[in-house]
Structures are given as C-alpha cells and as structure tokens.
Amino acid sequence: MNPREGEPLPPLEIPVTRTLIVSGALASRDFQDVHHDAEAAREKGSPDIFMNILTTNGLVGRYVTGWAGPHAVLRKVAIRLGVPAYPGDTLALSGRVTAVTPPAPDAPGAESVTVEVAVRGAGRLGNHVTGTVTVTLRTAADQEGASGASPADRRGGSPADRKSASPADRKGASS
C-alpha cells in the first residue's frame, strides 16, 4: 500500500441497531441508562437510546484499519461527537488521507509510513463523528523481519494446519 495525500478511503456503511448500541455500551463498561433503556432515555429528553462515544471510537478505528490492512497500528484516534446515532440510523463513514510521513531514520525496521486520515461519520441527522486518525503502516515482510519468524510460525502453524483435524480427530489421536 502506497497511500497518497488527498486519497479517499472507500466508504463504509454500518447499520446502527439496538444490539450494536447496547452491546457496545456493555463491552466498554458504559452502564449509563441512555445507552440501553429507551424509557430512561426519553425521560432525559432523548427520543431513544443512542450510541456511546467508545463504540463510535471503535467503529472509527475499525474503519481506518480495515482500509490500512492487518499490519497497521493505530497511533492516535481523536474524534469529536456531533449528533446522536439512534437505532435505525446508518453510520456512513468516509475518510481522506491528509498526511503521509516516512519513517524516521532511527525507526525500528518494521515501521513503514505513518498516515493521518480525516474521518467523518454521518447519519440521517448530520455528522455523528468527525476526527483524525493516525496509523502506522507495516508490511507483512516487515512483520516477519521484525521477529525473525513468519506470522504462521508465531501462531503455531498455518490456519490449514490448525484446521486439519476435527476436535474428535484430535481427541482420538491423543488417546
């Protein structure tokens, strides 16, 4: 991957469901009732439950790393929330590369370029999130060279090796 300043990221649309909102809040240990109790949210002036900032932050990170690839490392996610995201909305994520910085001369061998991406997530009410994500890109060859072992070696073999026997086969093989 050779990102260029001004390059757009492919768009990503994420359906905002009650399950996404509630599970995201629970996973991030955000037990505020406005993220899981529609009646409590209405009592506090919201028409329904709404997505919390930590779920939004995770979705923004997922968006950028989905574009950057499996060897990318998030360095910074700086977001600002706008309008709420409610059940039934679709979060339309878009982004654009705003800066590409080559590695410093003294950077570890596995480091490639650092990329800054401006991100926007819009829903039916307007911008739900805007911000900037900084990510360092690494290549698969960089990953292998950094540890002296291939990714398959570090995982204990290739996926095909791990899938070659069913649990029953493995159980029978050990008896």
Side-chain angles (χ1 to χ4, degrees):
M1 169 181 278
N2 294 314
R4 293 179 314 278
E5 193 169 320
E7 176 184 340
L9 275 63
L12 175 65
E13 290 191 347
I14 299 172
V16 179
T17 64
R18 288 185 183 284
T19 301
L20 174 64
I21 293 169
V22 174
S23 61
L26 291 174
S28 60
R29 300 180 57 85
D30 182 347
F31 304 117
Q32 293 292 317
D33 55 8
V34 294
H35 303 305
H36 64 85
D37 183 334
E39 185 177 323
R42 282 190 290 278
E43 287 172 3
K44 293 180 179 173
S46 178
D48 206 339
I49 62 172
F50 54 91
M51 192 157 44
N52 73 349
I53 190 170
L54 295 172
T55 303
T56 300
N57 196 62
L59 293 173
V60 167
R62 168 191 166 200
Y63 172 60
V64 173
T65 57
W67 164 79
H71 302 292
V73 178
L74 285 176
R75 298 296 182 189
K76 181 178 179 182
V77 178
I79 61 170
R80 180 182 196 112
L81 288 182
V83 299
Y86 294 110
D89 288 352
T90 297
L91 184 61
L93 291 162
S94 60
R96 183 169 300 280
V97 174
T98 56
V100 178
T101 307
D106 59 347
E111 297 226 352
S112 188
V113 300
T114 298
V115 179
E116 184 175 282
V117 178
V119 177
R120 174 178 170 256
R124 64 185 163 90
L125 298 176
N127 285 339
H128 170 64
V129 63
T130 55
T132 304
V133 177
T134 304
V135 62
T136 298
L137 305 180
R138 297 177 179 205
T139 65
D142 289 340
Q143 288 290 327
E144 291 174 20
S147 70
S150 74
D153 291 338
R154 290 192 299 274
R155 288 190 306 267
S158 71
D161 294 338
R162 291 192 301 278
K163 292 180 185 174
S164 64
S166 70
D169 292 338
R170 287 191 295 270
K171 182 179 180 187
S174 64
S175 39

